[in-house]
Amino acid sequence: MEKGRTGCGALRAADEGSVVELCGWVNRRRDHGGLIFVDLRDNDGVTQVVFDPQHPSFQAAEHLRHEDVLRVRGTVRRRPAGTENPKLATGEIEVGVDELEILNRAQVPPFAVNSDDPVDENLRLEYRYLDLRRSRMQRNLRLRHRIVKAMRDYFDSRDFVEIETPMLMKSTPEGARDYLVPSRLHPGSFYALPQSPQMLKQILMIAGFGRYMQIARCMRDEDLRADRQPEFTQVDVEMSFCTQDDVLEIMESGMRYVWKAVLGVELPPFARLTYDEAIARYGVDKPDLRFGLELSDVGAHFAGTEFGVFASVLGAGGSIVALRYPGGASLSRRDFDALTETAKQFGAKGMVWVAYAADGVKSSASKFLSEAQLAAVRAAANAEEGDAVLLFADARELAYGVAGKMRNEVGDRCSLRDPRAFAFCWVLGFPYLELDEETGKPAPAHHPFTAPAEGQWELMESDPMQMRAQHYDMVLNGYELGSGSIRIHKPEQQRKIFEMLGLSPADVEHRFGFFVRALEYGAPPHGGMALGIDRIAMLACGEENIREVIAFPKNQVGRDLMMEAPSTVPEQLLRDLYLRSTVPADGSR
RNA sequence: GGCGCUGUAGCUCAGUUGGUUAGAGCGCCGCCCUGUCACGGCGGAGGUCGUGGGUUCGAGCCCCAUCAGCGUCGCCA
């Protein structure tokens, strides 16, 4: 607070009689003709200031409007008995104005700044400075600040060093699409903005820093989602001579510290699931553990079934996955049709439902299901009378995937996803390889610096798809907060992975030469992790959209509606960079 | 690129089966009001019903296209 100025949230009854100076915005004005009250708001709170008619500033106060900016000097006085406002921290007192200075006038704002009533998001983003004045964004961004500060404090206390890495980096072929920056000094060459500081933090381990962290900005040129922005912030961590358990301990303790420091919440130890368990029980590798509704495989009960759909799926080695819908027996056929449509959007070919109502069992496939099968499904899904069970039959991966997404859908419909609950977990033991959908060949499921599970290098030759990675994800309420791994630190192993990726030695030299060379100069074993700050802040704030915890976010098509970026640039700027646009003048493509 | 939803006053919304001059609350403007705090009272202004086309005697409402936004799938090593 500047010398002599008092915050608008500071004054209490004990300050009676003191002369104070307040600065802030007109949150509200109540004009009684012979007496004017103004609620003055700053980042500290709201104070009622009073203009008496005999005072020279009274006439000016008659013309004050929402969001005008004032400096006020006056005397703190207790409010008359019976007029205190218990809803206001400063509600015992008011400031009788002696001096009013109007520092600036405001246009009539396009939406109400003094309330958190919903407003069209386009408008909020266009007038973000007004939106940020509102209490929701003030609260969210201040909470976010405290999260980031708690993280820095925590990692500092555990002897991590924050080191900045460049924003102008080198484009690498795999992963997300890069944002490119043309080089003026090197015509035809480009920097890439970092997707993450991955290789640089590993090089910092090779450089002997031992424990590194960074609040790192990352950019990925992919399509946006409610939980995804093209630029985002990670707490990026790397450590030397560590095991997977060491990293998990550091990161889990960190989250526990942050939750305690910022929210006052003591988190229990995080649940640990293997990838295979997560898929089998929840159908996803980022399960929402705020609720149960675990999946079950009921294929065994349908051996020899006459039902064509099930028979062909089982014949082809697929799965039939059951999901309980609590209270679902009361749904209408129409409701089930709508659910089936939802499942189809998740990739299902269809859905069979069974409703265990008090007056009997109904099903979309009742002709084909025996009493014994209905009972077996009910038992497998732990369904009670009044529940429904949804069945998804398909190739194993698809059936579980759809069931997992439908589990979240059912969780929403049954209000099982409490926004104030925090269910953290670790997912471990990911497969090292997955089949590339285009080529059909095995490719690393994660980034190519991940180390296989201990003692599994030999599987690379014998049974590569069985290899597991020393890779781990931290998951909160169904959101992936981040992932990490123990890295490869032997240059020959790193080369082998690149080779498997189909890179020739010349490719490796061109793209990763600096990195493999660094590994050859005594790279210590190391590993680490990165967590998405935006998602953490979003969940800590109880928000469902990442834009609510970012001061100046992009909209779904990557536009900043306030400054109107991206934009065209003067021709000369392009010439300096040796660039020429291929976009026709009318903007068509 | 696919699918779904949304678009009516400055804001948030209502608008019946297609039928007279498109409404409400808040905000805005003016007047009144000395204890309010979502102050109150009286009066007033304010509309390309996203845009274009079509069907119809008649369209905010139906059809087609298009724009913008949101959600989602693909995508995000």
Side-chain angles (χ1 to χ4, degrees):
Chain A
M1 194 63 54
E2 294 69 32
K3 193 164 185 292
R5 182 158 79 90
T6 303
C8 289
L11 296 169
R12 298 290 182 273
D15 298 302
E16 184 181 6
S18 50
V19 174
V20 295
E21 177 181 309
L22 301 173
C23 292
W25 287 263
V26 174
N27 197 54
R28 222 168 228 119
R29 188 180 64 109
R30 291 176 294 280
D31 185 346
H32 286 237
L35 191 65
I36 297 172
F37 300 100
V38 168
D39 291 341
L40 198 63
R41 180 195 74 234
D42 67 6
N43 54 33
D44 190 45
V46 171
T47 297
Q48 172 167 285
V49 300
V50 187
F51 295 87
D52 294 303
Q54 56 272 32
H55 198 274
S57 64
F58 185 82
Q59 274 165 8
E62 287 184 310
H63 297 106
L64 292 176
R65 292 295 179 265
H66 285 136
E67 302 308 312
D68 284 344
V69 187
L70 313 182
R71 171 156 51 221
V72 154
R73 279 181 69 82
T75 309
V76 180
R77 61 196 192 205
R78 291 194 74 116
R79 296 192 186 189
T83 66
E84 300 90 349
N85 184 352
K87 285 187 271 182
L88 220 52
T90 58
E92 284 181 301
I93 56 87
E94 63 193 12
V95 172
V97 175
D98 299 323
E99 240 180 84
L100 166 68
E101 183 183 357
I102 297 170
L103 298 172
N104 215 345
R105 293 283 191 183
Q107 299 273 359
V108 175
F111 52 85
V113 175
N114 58 15
S115 95
D116 277 333
D117 289 345
V119 174
D120 179 71
E121 200 181 3
N122 283 336
L123 207 60
R124 292 178 58 201
L125 292 176
E126 184 181 344
Y127 295 92
R128 192 58 158 176
Y129 37 89
L130 296 179
D131 188 41
L132 293 175
R133 264 185 218 166
R134 308 206 304 168
S135 58
R136 177 194 197 170
M137 291 303 297
Q138 288 274 323
R139 189 173 58 237
N140 288 358
L141 292 183
R142 287 169 198 283
L143 190 85
R144 179 182 173 132
H145 159 77
R146 288 165 58 211
I147 290 170
V148 172
K149 175 169 189 308
M151 282 183 174
R152 283 204 166 100
D153 290 346
Y154 169 79
F155 283 106
D156 177 65
S157 77
R158 301 287 295 249
D159 295 325
F160 285 76
V161 178
E162 180 158 14
I163 300 175
E164 292 171 88
T165 51
M167 299 299 284
L168 296 175
M169 304 240 291
K170 181 179 166 108
S171 180
T172 50
E174 287 78 27
R177 203 171 290 112
D178 278 326
Y179 279 101
L180 294 180
V181 179
S183 164
R184 176 181 57 85
L185 298 175
H186 300 275
S189 287
F190 296 83
Y191 300 99
L193 302 179
Q195 296 184 22
S196 82
Q198 181 62 36
M199 278 184 280
L200 292 175
K201 71 172 173 177
Q202 291 190 237
I203 285 175
L204 287 169
M205 293 305 102
I206 298 170
F209 279 96
R211 292 187 156 200
Y212 144 94
M213 69 84 69
Q214 182 182 192
I215 304 298
R217 305 301 297 278
C218 305
M219 290 80 169
R220 295 176 189 176
D221 187 4
E222 298 291 347
D223 286 355
L224 286 72
R225 288 286 184 280
D227 64 350
R228 242 162 57 191
Q229 281 274 303
E231 60 182 305
F232 57 101
T233 308
Q234 292 187 333
V235 53
D236 193 39
V237 175
E238 196 76 5
M239 49 205 282
S240 296
F241 306 113
C242 64
T243 63
Q244 174 170 304
D245 277 339
D246 294 332
V247 181
L248 301 191
E249 189 281 320
I250 285 278
M251 301 306 292
E252 182 172 332
S253 296
M255 292 310 291
R256 197 170 286 115
Y257 176 87
V258 169
W259 245 244
K260 177 72 178 146
V262 177
L263 300 175
V265 171
E266 295 274 5
L267 293 175
F270 294 6
R272 293 190 182 196
L273 305 172
T274 67
Y275 172 84
D276 290 339
E277 278 175 323
I279 298 294
R281 294 166 64 186
Y282 306 104
V284 285
D285 61 1
K286 44 180 181 179
D288 187 344
L289 298 187
R290 284 174 296 179
F291 63 105
L293 299 188
E294 294 192 21
L295 309 178
S296 49
D297 193 321
V298 295
H301 302 297
F302 292 94
T305 180
E306 312 254 299
F307 187 26
V309 174
F310 285 8
S312 64
V313 162
L314 291 174
S319 300
I320 302 171
V321 181
L323 166 67
R324 182 167 83 99
Y325 190 144
S330 61
L331 297 182
S332 66
R333 273 164 201 273
R334 228 180 130 87
D335 295 330
F336 281 117
D337 286 347
L339 268 180
T340 306
E341 275 312 304
T342 305
K344 283 182 178 168
Q345 280 177 18
F346 292 145
K349 294 179 186 66
M351 182 186 92
V352 169
W353 53 268
V354 184
Y356 296 94
D359 58 349
V361 179
K362 293 191 272 296
S363 171
S364 56
S366 42
K367 269 177 283 189
F368 304 105
L369 304 181
S370 69
E371 290 286 325
Q373 285 167 338
L374 291 170
V377 164
R378 178 172 167 174
N382 277 315
E384 297 168 13
E385 190 172 285
D387 291 347
V389 174
L390 312 180
L391 298 172
F392 306 95
D394 215 313
R396 184 174 189 281
E397 204 170 320
L398 202 58
Y400 275 94
V402 171
K405 287 175 179 142
M406 290 300 287
R407 177 178 169 272
N408 285 338
E409 176 75 20
V410 171
D412 278 334
R413 286 166 181 252
C414 298
S415 303
L416 299 173
R417 310 180 83 181
D418 178 357
R420 286 154 311 190
F422 300 107
F424 283 86
C425 70
W426 288 106
V427 180
L428 311 166
F430 282 79
Y432 195 85
L433 301 171
E434 63 187 7
L435 293 178
D436 187 299
E437 281 187 26
E438 283 171 31
T439 65
K441 288 181 182 167
H446 312 288
H447 61 57
F449 314 110
T450 302
E454 303 241 18
Q456 288 199 349
W457 264 104
E458 305 73 51
L459 287 174
M460 181 82 71
E461 310 295 337
S462 54
D463 191 2
M465 294 310 289
Q466 283 308 308
M467 281 175 74
R468 299 285 129 168
Q470 293 191 62
H471 174 103
Y472 30 87
D473 279 4
M474 188 191 287
V475 174
L476 170 55
N477 294 359
Y479 289 90
E480 182 195 318
L481 293 186
S483 53
S485 61
I486 298 301
R487 327 294 186 188
I488 295 166
H489 65 280
K490 304 245 191 215
E492 60 275 13
Q493 292 180 344
Q494 189 64 68
R495 285 214 164 81
K496 189 152 178 87
I497 296 296
F498 287 142
E499 184 188 324
M500 194 189 65
L501 265 171
L503 295 178
S504 71
D507 289 337
V508 172
E509 180 54 33
H510 178 61
R511 292 165 176 175
F512 299 108
F514 72 100
F515 182 69
V516 181
R517 207 163 301 121
L519 291 177
E520 285 168 341
Y521 285 90
H526 60 286
M529 180 153 208
L531 298 178
I533 298 269
D534 313 274
R535 284 183 190 169
I536 291 170
M538 172 182 88
L539 292 164
C541 289
E543 295 284 1
E544 292 183 344
N545 194 300
I546 206 172
R547 293 186 298 272
E548 303 297 348
V549 296
I550 297 174
F552 302 105
K554 309 285 188 286
N555 72 4
Q556 199 170 61
V557 286
R559 269 208 285 248
D560 183 309
L561 295 175
M562 183 180 69
M563 55 182 159
E564 297 183 300
S567 64
T568 56
V569 296
E571 195 61 32
Q572 184 56 48
L573 218 47
L574 293 178
R575 275 199 293 271
D576 289 348
L577 296 167
Y578 306 92
L579 296 178
R580 192 183 313 125
S581 176
T582 62
V583 179
D586 63 4
S588 64
R589 274 172 288 174

